[in-house]
Amino acid sequence: MLTLTSLCAGYGPITALEDVSLTARRGEITAVLGANGAGKTTLLRTVSGLHRARSGAIDFDGTRLETVAAERMPRLGLAHVPEGRGVITELTVEENLRLGGLGRGGRVSSADLSRVNDLFPVLGDRRAALASTLSGGERQMLVIGRALMARPTMLLLDEPSLGLAPRIVAQIFGLVRTLVREDGLSVLLVEQNARSALSVADHGVVLNLGRVVADAPADELAGDDQLRHAYLGF
Ligand code: ATP
């Protein structure tokens, strides 16, 4: 459903992505793995229109995305959850969630709010609390919940595990798995935490210095000792 073909991107003299091709299939979690600076964030930002590719193609369900503006992505069914949990701390949890529905055309249905609160009960319990009072894990749930309010068909998740305790990471990845199973969502998951990502993903793509060095089912990558030691750090 999302296919990148020979994608190149960079910043001035820096090449961040070089001839990257990959497919993220419908109803699956595809993990993009690699060390710091491998090009993972650039890849996600290029797909969601926040950074322009130098060359190559991005096809999402038959629509070419290379020249589509970032603000049109929610209507196409793509939701980007950036690294760093950009919750608006001065707003309440529910106000943050409602903002997520705006990209789709302004209407927020109570059914969408209920679905998010069912998935993340802590957000329902704390709906009137300021987002500034949430823990790191709760903030990560809030930004994922906010993205879901736009009813995407594909979620682009950038390093959701960053700075979280292993127990919280497992909880969040478990919820992402539930979304895939119950709602048929597709997920492109960018992660430095390869061990956790491969435990939840169906498929994995490993980047090194902007190039694809492996592309295989997640269990195959997790079982490849050489690859793990060379590129995945576990
Ligand atoms: P991280 O996990 O640290 O975010 P990453 O795998 O996501 O790493 P990118 O952030 O995509 O990698 O970076 C890929 C390359 O592009 C790196 O060499 C990085 O230094 C460079 N880069 C990223 N953003 C910029 C920028 N705004 N200006 C210049 N160079 C950049």
Side-chain angles (χ1 to χ4, degrees):
M1 82 177 303
L2 175 73
T3 306
L4 315 187
T5 309
S6 300
L7 201 66
C8 297
Y11 307 87
I14 295 168
T15 298
L17 297 175
E18 175 99 49
D19 198 25
V20 169
S21 297
L22 63 85
T23 297
R25 291 174 192 82
R26 188 187 305 275
E28 290 193 359
I29 301 177
T30 305
V32 176
L33 310 168
N36 238 330
K40 307 180 299 298
T41 294
T42 302
L43 185 146
L44 224 50
R45 289 174 55 81
T46 305
V47 170
S48 62
L50 296 167
H51 188 77
R52 283 280 163 243
R54 286 181 175 156
S55 59
I58 307 170
D59 182 290
F60 180 60
D61 272 347
T63 303
R64 291 285 293 267
L65 297 185
E66 305 93 77
T67 54
V68 172
E71 59 270 23
R72 275 195 53 215
M73 296 297 175
R75 284 173 190 269
L76 294 173
L78 278 164
H80 184 176
V81 182
E83 191 177 339
R85 317 199 177 109
V87 301
I88 301 182
T89 50
E90 297 84 356
L91 296 181
T92 66
V93 168
E94 182 167 324
E95 286 165 344
N96 268 277
L97 287 177
R98 285 180 175 278
L99 281 178
L102 297 181
R104 209 186 50 216
R107 259 199 296 276
V108 174
S109 80
S110 53
D112 291 337
L113 267 178
S114 306
R115 172 69 182 138
V116 171
N117 289 335
D118 285 348
L119 271 168
F120 305 107
V122 67
L123 299 182
D125 295 345
R126 313 220 32 213
R127 65 170 69 88
L130 285 178
S132 57
T133 64
L134 299 184
S135 67
E138 289 163 350
R139 286 183 190 210
Q140 187 60 55
M141 292 178 200
L142 180 54
V143 288
I144 294 174
R146 188 171 63 191
L148 295 176
M149 291 294 291
R151 288 195 217 149
T153 52
M154 176 167 260
L155 209 52
L156 308 172
L157 280 178
D158 198 351
E159 299 262 9
S161 80
L162 201 70
L164 301 181
R167 184 174 54 84
I168 308 293
V169 173
Q171 188 188 358
I172 287 173
F173 281 1
L175 286 162
V176 172
R177 192 77 243 174
T178 302
L179 279 168
V180 169
R181 192 177 57 238
E182 293 184 359
D183 295 6
L185 201 70
S186 312
V187 177
L188 188 62
L189 168 68
V190 155
E191 264 296 343
Q192 240 184 90
N193 183 344
R195 186 200 295 268
S196 296
L198 286 175
S199 72
V200 72
D202 299 286
H203 201 88
V205 177
V206 182
L207 291 181
N208 182 52
L209 301 175
R211 287 180 171 275
V212 174
V213 292
D215 181 336
D219 48 359
E220 240 174 70
L221 294 179
D224 185 333
D225 291 347
Q226 220 175 338
L227 185 91
R228 283 197 289 120
H229 295 147
Y231 300 113
L232 301 180
F234 77 99

mmCIF file of all heavy atoms in Angstrom, residues 62-96:
data_model
loop_
_atom_site.group_PDB
_atom_site.id
_atom_site.type_symbol
_atom_site.label_atom_id
_atom_site.label_comp_id
_atom_site.label_asym_id
_atom_site.label_seq_id
_atom_site.Cartn_x
_atom_site.Cartn_y
_atom_site.Cartn_z
ATOM 1 N N GLY A 62 -1.942 4.073 -4.735
ATOM 2 C CA GLY A 62 -2.176 4.580 -6.085
ATOM 3 C C GLY A 62 -1.987 6.082 -6.234
ATOM 4 O O GLY A 62 -2.084 6.603 -7.336
ATOM 5 N N THR A 63 -1.744 6.792 -5.137
ATOM 6 C CA THR A 63 -1.506 8.233 -5.216
ATOM 7 C C THR A 63 -0.020 8.512 -5.052
ATOM 8 O O THR A 63 0.604 7.994 -4.119
ATOM 9 C CB THR A 63 -2.276 8.984 -4.093
ATOM 10 O OG1 THR A 63 -3.644 8.669 -4.214
ATOM 11 C CG2 THR A 63 -2.080 10.487 -4.185
ATOM 12 N N ARG A 64 0.531 9.320 -5.953
ATOM 13 C CA ARG A 64 1.942 9.683 -5.834
ATOM 14 C C ARG A 64 2.076 10.824 -4.836
ATOM 15 O O ARG A 64 1.426 11.856 -4.974
ATOM 16 C CB ARG A 64 2.471 10.109 -7.210
ATOM 17 C CG ARG A 64 2.550 8.942 -8.195
ATOM 18 C CD ARG A 64 3.722 8.017 -7.897
ATOM 19 N NE ARG A 64 4.976 8.678 -8.138
ATOM 20 C CZ ARG A 64 5.649 8.629 -9.287
ATOM 21 N NH1 ARG A 64 5.182 7.920 -10.291
ATOM 22 N NH2 ARG A 64 6.787 9.279 -9.433
ATOM 23 N N LEU A 65 2.913 10.618 -3.816
ATOM 24 C CA LEU A 65 2.981 11.580 -2.718
ATOM 25 C C LEU A 65 4.125 12.588 -2.819
ATOM 26 O O LEU A 65 4.159 13.525 -2.027
ATOM 27 C CB LEU A 65 3.164 10.843 -1.371
ATOM 28 C CG LEU A 65 2.061 9.906 -0.899
ATOM 29 C CD1 LEU A 65 2.391 9.397 0.501
ATOM 30 C CD2 LEU A 65 0.719 10.616 -0.889
ATOM 31 N N GLU A 66 5.039 12.407 -3.767
ATOM 32 C CA GLU A 66 6.261 13.244 -3.743
ATOM 33 C C GLU A 66 5.980 14.736 -3.703
ATOM 34 O O GLU A 66 6.761 15.500 -3.151
ATOM 35 C CB GLU A 66 7.168 12.992 -4.943
ATOM 36 C CG GLU A 66 7.586 11.580 -5.173
ATOM 37 C CD GLU A 66 6.643 10.896 -6.128
ATOM 38 O OE1 GLU A 66 6.723 11.117 -7.332
ATOM 39 O OE2 GLU A 66 5.812 10.124 -5.631
ATOM 40 N N THR A 67 4.879 15.161 -4.333
ATOM 41 C CA THR A 67 4.639 16.603 -4.394
ATOM 42 C C THR A 67 3.403 17.016 -3.597
ATOM 43 O O THR A 67 2.942 18.149 -3.697
ATOM 44 C CB THR A 67 4.457 17.055 -5.863
ATOM 45 O OG1 THR A 67 3.436 16.251 -6.439
ATOM 46 C CG2 THR A 67 5.742 16.887 -6.664
ATOM 47 N N VAL A 68 2.871 16.088 -2.808
ATOM 48 C CA VAL A 68 1.684 16.412 -2.014
ATOM 49 C C VAL A 68 2.106 17.168 -0.757
ATOM 50 O O VAL A 68 3.067 16.791 -0.084
ATOM 51 C CB VAL A 68 0.925 15.104 -1.647
ATOM 52 C CG1 VAL A 68 -0.199 15.387 -0.668
ATOM 53 C CG2 VAL A 68 0.379 14.438 -2.899
ATOM 54 N N ALA A 69 1.385 18.241 -0.431
ATOM 55 C CA ALA A 69 1.718 19.039 0.759
ATOM 56 C C ALA A 69 1.354 18.275 2.023
ATOM 57 O O ALA A 69 0.378 17.510 2.049
ATOM 58 C CB ALA A 69 0.951 20.357 0.716
ATOM 59 N N ALA A 70 2.138 18.509 3.081
ATOM 60 C CA ALA A 70 1.950 17.783 4.346
ATOM 61 C C ALA A 70 0.517 17.910 4.864
ATOM 62 O O ALA A 70 -0.048 16.946 5.377
ATOM 63 C CB ALA A 70 2.939 18.306 5.382
ATOM 64 N N GLU A 71 -0.079 19.086 4.703
ATOM 65 C CA GLU A 71 -1.415 19.275 5.282
ATOM 66 C C GLU A 71 -2.510 18.482 4.553
ATOM 67 O O GLU A 71 -3.604 18.334 5.069
ATOM 68 C CB GLU A 71 -1.780 20.769 5.366
ATOM 69 C CG GLU A 71 -1.780 21.521 4.057
ATOM 70 C CD GLU A 71 -0.416 22.144 3.742
ATOM 71 O OE1 GLU A 71 0.606 21.669 4.273
ATOM 72 O OE2 GLU A 71 -0.386 23.103 2.944
ATOM 73 N N ARG A 72 -2.190 17.951 3.371
ATOM 74 C CA ARG A 72 -3.193 17.129 2.668
ATOM 75 C C ARG A 72 -3.134 15.654 3.088
ATOM 76 O O ARG A 72 -4.018 14.868 2.784
ATOM 77 C CB ARG A 72 -2.979 17.218 1.151
ATOM 78 C CG ARG A 72 -3.664 18.436 0.541
ATOM 79 C CD ARG A 72 -3.752 18.295 -0.963
ATOM 80 N NE ARG A 72 -4.368 17.048 -1.393
ATOM 81 C CZ ARG A 72 -4.002 16.366 -2.485
ATOM 82 N NH1 ARG A 72 -3.031 16.802 -3.249
ATOM 83 N NH2 ARG A 72 -4.607 15.240 -2.809
ATOM 84 N N MET A 73 -2.064 15.282 3.783
ATOM 85 C CA MET A 73 -1.857 13.860 4.111
ATOM 86 C C MET A 73 -2.991 13.249 4.941
ATOM 87 O O MET A 73 -3.395 12.113 4.679
ATOM 88 C CB MET A 73 -0.517 13.650 4.815
ATOM 89 C CG MET A 73 0.681 13.995 3.963
ATOM 90 S SD MET A 73 0.808 12.944 2.502
ATOM 91 C CE MET A 73 2.208 13.711 1.672
ATOM 92 N N PRO A 74 -3.520 13.978 5.961
ATOM 93 C CA PRO A 74 -4.592 13.348 6.751
ATOM 94 C C PRO A 74 -5.780 12.935 5.896
ATOM 95 O O PRO A 74 -6.359 11.873 6.102
ATOM 96 C CB PRO A 74 -4.986 14.453 7.742
ATOM 97 C CG PRO A 74 -3.774 15.298 7.867
ATOM 98 C CD PRO A 74 -3.122 15.280 6.512
ATOM 99 N N ARG A 75 -6.117 13.730 4.903
ATOM 100 C CA ARG A 75 -7.262 13.385 4.047
ATOM 101 C C ARG A 75 -6.982 12.166 3.189
ATOM 102 O O ARG A 75 -7.896 11.474 2.751
ATOM 103 C CB ARG A 75 -7.617 14.552 3.132
ATOM 104 C CG ARG A 75 -8.352 15.655 3.864
ATOM 105 C CD ARG A 75 -8.536 16.849 2.964
ATOM 106 N NE ARG A 75 -9.025 17.989 3.732
ATOM 107 C CZ ARG A 75 -10.302 18.259 3.908
ATOM 108 N NH1 ARG A 75 -11.216 17.497 3.368
ATOM 109 N NH2 ARG A 75 -10.660 19.293 4.632
ATOM 110 N N LEU A 76 -5.703 11.906 2.930
ATOM 111 C CA LEU A 76 -5.347 10.713 2.162
ATOM 112 C C LEU A 76 -5.273 9.471 3.052
ATOM 113 O O LEU A 76 -5.104 8.356 2.567
ATOM 114 C CB LEU A 76 -4.001 10.923 1.460
ATOM 115 C CG LEU A 76 -3.980 12.001 0.373
ATOM 116 C CD1 LEU A 76 -2.557 12.237 -0.125
ATOM 117 C CD2 LEU A 76 -4.877 11.594 -0.790
ATOM 118 N N GLY A 77 -5.353 9.700 4.375
ATOM 119 C CA GLY A 77 -5.343 8.566 5.297
ATOM 120 C C GLY A 77 -4.019 8.330 5.996
ATOM 121 O O GLY A 77 -3.837 7.320 6.671
ATOM 122 N N LEU A 78 -3.104 9.285 5.849
ATOM 123 C CA LEU A 78 -1.788 9.129 6.496
ATOM 124 C C LEU A 78 -1.708 10.001 7.748
ATOM 125 O O LEU A 78 -2.073 11.180 7.700
ATOM 126 C CB LEU A 78 -0.681 9.594 5.547
ATOM 127 C CG LEU A 78 -0.208 8.600 4.503
ATOM 128 C CD1 LEU A 78 0.578 9.329 3.432
ATOM 129 C CD2 LEU A 78 0.670 7.531 5.150
ATOM 130 N N ALA A 79 -1.230 9.445 8.842
ATOM 131 C CA ALA A 79 -1.048 10.236 10.051
ATOM 132 C C ALA A 79 0.382 10.060 10.553
ATOM 133 O O ALA A 79 0.836 8.936 10.762
ATOM 134 C CB ALA A 79 -2.028 9.796 11.128
ATOM 135 N N HIS A 80 1.084 11.180 10.732
ATOM 136 C CA HIS A 80 2.480 11.165 11.160
ATOM 137 C C HIS A 80 2.540 11.507 12.654
ATOM 138 O O HIS A 80 2.028 12.530 13.081
ATOM 139 C CB HIS A 80 3.229 12.228 10.336
ATOM 140 C CG HIS A 80 4.703 12.267 10.581
ATOM 141 N ND1 HIS A 80 5.537 13.078 9.880
ATOM 142 C CD2 HIS A 80 5.494 11.599 11.443
ATOM 143 C CE1 HIS A 80 6.782 12.914 10.295
ATOM 144 N NE2 HIS A 80 6.773 12.019 11.249
ATOM 145 N N VAL A 81 3.154 10.623 13.423
ATOM 146 C CA VAL A 81 3.365 10.894 14.852
ATOM 147 C C VAL A 81 4.853 11.173 15.031
ATOM 148 O O VAL A 81 5.663 10.248 15.061
ATOM 149 C CB VAL A 81 2.936 9.694 15.721
ATOM 150 C CG1 VAL A 81 3.122 10.001 17.198
ATOM 151 C CG2 VAL A 81 1.489 9.313 15.437
ATOM 152 N N PRO A 82 5.235 12.455 15.114
ATOM 153 C CA PRO A 82 6.664 12.776 15.107
ATOM 154 C C PRO A 82 7.364 12.382 16.400
ATOM 155 O O PRO A 82 6.724 12.179 17.439
ATOM 156 C CB PRO A 82 6.691 14.297 14.920
ATOM 157 C CG PRO A 82 5.351 14.775 15.309
ATOM 158 C CD PRO A 82 4.390 13.636 15.185
ATOM 159 N N GLU A 83 8.681 12.295 16.294
ATOM 160 C CA GLU A 83 9.516 12.030 17.464
ATOM 161 C C GLU A 83 9.341 13.193 18.440
ATOM 162 O O GLU A 83 9.155 14.329 18.028
ATOM 163 C CB GLU A 83 10.967 11.986 16.960
ATOM 164 C CG GLU A 83 11.959 11.463 17.947
ATOM 165 C CD GLU A 83 13.365 11.384 17.322
ATOM 166 O OE1 GLU A 83 13.486 11.344 16.086
ATOM 167 O OE2 GLU A 83 14.311 11.373 18.106
ATOM 168 N N GLY A 84 9.364 12.902 19.722
ATOM 169 C CA GLY A 84 9.394 13.989 20.701
ATOM 170 C C GLY A 84 8.063 14.338 21.333
ATOM 171 O O GLY A 84 7.985 15.234 22.156
ATOM 172 N N ARG A 85 7.005 13.613 20.987
ATOM 173 C CA ARG A 85 5.731 13.763 21.709
ATOM 174 C C ARG A 85 5.261 15.202 21.814
ATOM 175 O O ARG A 85 5.161 15.746 22.900
ATOM 176 C CB ARG A 85 5.829 13.206 23.126
ATOM 177 C CG ARG A 85 6.547 11.930 23.136
ATOM 178 C CD ARG A 85 6.401 11.038 24.265
ATOM 179 N NE ARG A 85 7.178 9.881 23.900
ATOM 180 C CZ ARG A 85 8.322 9.540 24.462
ATOM 181 N NH1 ARG A 85 8.794 10.229 25.468
ATOM 182 N NH2 ARG A 85 8.971 8.493 24.031
ATOM 183 N N GLY A 86 4.966 15.812 20.691
ATOM 184 C CA GLY A 86 4.555 17.220 20.701
ATOM 185 C C GLY A 86 3.139 17.438 21.192
ATOM 186 O O GLY A 86 2.282 17.878 20.434
ATOM 187 N N VAL A 87 2.901 17.128 22.463
ATOM 188 C CA VAL A 87 1.579 17.465 23.009
ATOM 189 C C VAL A 87 1.568 18.950 23.340
ATOM 190 O O VAL A 87 2.616 19.560 23.560
ATOM 191 C CB VAL A 87 1.231 16.651 24.281
ATOM 192 C CG1 VAL A 87 1.237 15.167 23.993
ATOM 193 C CG2 VAL A 87 2.178 16.986 25.422
ATOM 194 N N ILE A 88 0.387 19.536 23.339
ATOM 195 C CA ILE A 88 0.279 20.949 23.712
ATOM 196 C C ILE A 88 -0.006 20.976 25.208
ATOM 197 O O ILE A 88 -1.105 20.640 25.658
ATOM 198 C CB ILE A 88 -0.803 21.649 22.882
ATOM 199 C CG1 ILE A 88 -0.409 21.492 21.404
ATOM 200 C CG2 ILE A 88 -0.927 23.124 23.276
ATOM 201 C CD1 ILE A 88 -1.318 22.146 20.430
ATOM 202 N N THR A 89 1.023 21.330 25.957
ATOM 203 C CA THR A 89 0.963 21.147 27.415
ATOM 204 C C THR A 89 -0.060 22.064 28.080
ATOM 205 O O THR A 89 -0.545 21.761 29.162
ATOM 206 C CB THR A 89 2.350 21.385 28.045
ATOM 207 O OG1 THR A 89 2.861 22.628 27.556
ATOM 208 C CG2 THR A 89 3.306 20.269 27.702
ATOM 209 N N GLU A 90 -0.393 23.183 27.426
ATOM 210 C CA GLU A 90 -1.343 24.138 28.036
ATOM 211 C C GLU A 90 -2.785 23.699 27.825
ATOM 212 O O GLU A 90 -3.696 24.297 28.388
ATOM 213 C CB GLU A 90 -1.189 25.542 27.435
ATOM 214 C CG GLU A 90 0.154 26.197 27.667
ATOM 215 C CD GLU A 90 1.205 25.779 26.637
ATOM 216 O OE1 GLU A 90 0.899 24.909 25.772
ATOM 217 O OE2 GLU A 90 2.324 26.289 26.721
ATOM 218 N N LEU A 91 -2.994 22.686 26.998
ATOM 219 C CA LEU A 91 -4.361 22.203 26.753
ATOM 220 C C LEU A 91 -4.596 20.907 27.531
ATOM 221 O O LEU A 91 -3.650 20.228 27.933
ATOM 222 C CB LEU A 91 -4.573 21.939 25.257
ATOM 223 C CG LEU A 91 -4.478 23.146 24.320
ATOM 224 C CD1 LEU A 91 -4.746 22.705 22.878
ATOM 225 C CD2 LEU A 91 -5.430 24.254 24.732
ATOM 226 N N THR A 92 -5.885 20.591 27.710
ATOM 227 C CA THR A 92 -6.207 19.337 28.403
ATOM 228 C C THR A 92 -5.985 18.159 27.454
ATOM 229 O O THR A 92 -5.800 18.328 26.251
ATOM 230 C CB THR A 92 -7.684 19.305 28.843
ATOM 231 O OG1 THR A 92 -8.490 19.288 27.669
ATOM 232 C CG2 THR A 92 -8.045 20.492 29.720
ATOM 233 N N VAL A 93 -6.060 16.987 28.047
ATOM 234 C CA VAL A 93 -5.908 15.752 27.273
ATOM 235 C C VAL A 93 -6.977 15.708 26.172
ATOM 236 O O VAL A 93 -6.675 15.469 25.001
ATOM 237 C CB VAL A 93 -6.026 14.536 28.216
ATOM 238 C CG1 VAL A 93 -6.174 13.246 27.427
ATOM 239 C CG2 VAL A 93 -4.817 14.480 29.150
ATOM 240 N N GLU A 94 -8.224 15.988 26.529
ATOM 241 C CA GLU A 94 -9.286 15.901 25.521
ATOM 242 C C GLU A 94 -9.127 16.977 24.450
ATOM 243 O O GLU A 94 -9.368 16.718 23.256
ATOM 244 C CB GLU A 94 -10.660 16.003 26.172
ATOM 245 C CG GLU A 94 -11.750 15.858 25.129
ATOM 246 C CD GLU A 94 -13.140 15.634 25.709
ATOM 247 O OE1 GLU A 94 -13.254 14.951 26.747
ATOM 248 O OE2 GLU A 94 -14.100 16.154 25.122
ATOM 249 N N GLU A 95 -8.706 18.158 24.844
ATOM 250 C CA GLU A 95 -8.495 19.218 23.841
ATOM 251 C C GLU A 95 -7.401 18.810 22.859
ATOM 252 O O GLU A 95 -7.511 19.045 21.649
ATOM 253 C CB GLU A 95 -8.146 20.547 24.534
ATOM 254 C CG GLU A 95 -9.341 21.199 25.205
ATOM 255 C CD GLU A 95 -8.972 22.301 26.190
ATOM 256 O OE1 GLU A 95 -7.785 22.380 26.611
ATOM 257 O OE2 GLU A 95 -9.871 23.064 26.573
ATOM 258 N N ASN A 96 -6.350 18.185 23.367
ATOM 259 C CA ASN A 96 -5.297 17.688 22.474
ATOM 260 C C ASN A 96 -5.864 16.665 21.500
ATOM 261 O O ASN A 96 -5.571 16.699 20.310
ATOM 262 C CB ASN A 96 -4.171 17.053 23.289
ATOM 263 C CG ASN A 96 -3.063 18.031 23.647
ATOM 264 O OD1 ASN A 96 -2.169 18.290 22.843
ATOM 265 N ND2 ASN A 96 -3.130 18.589 24.844
#
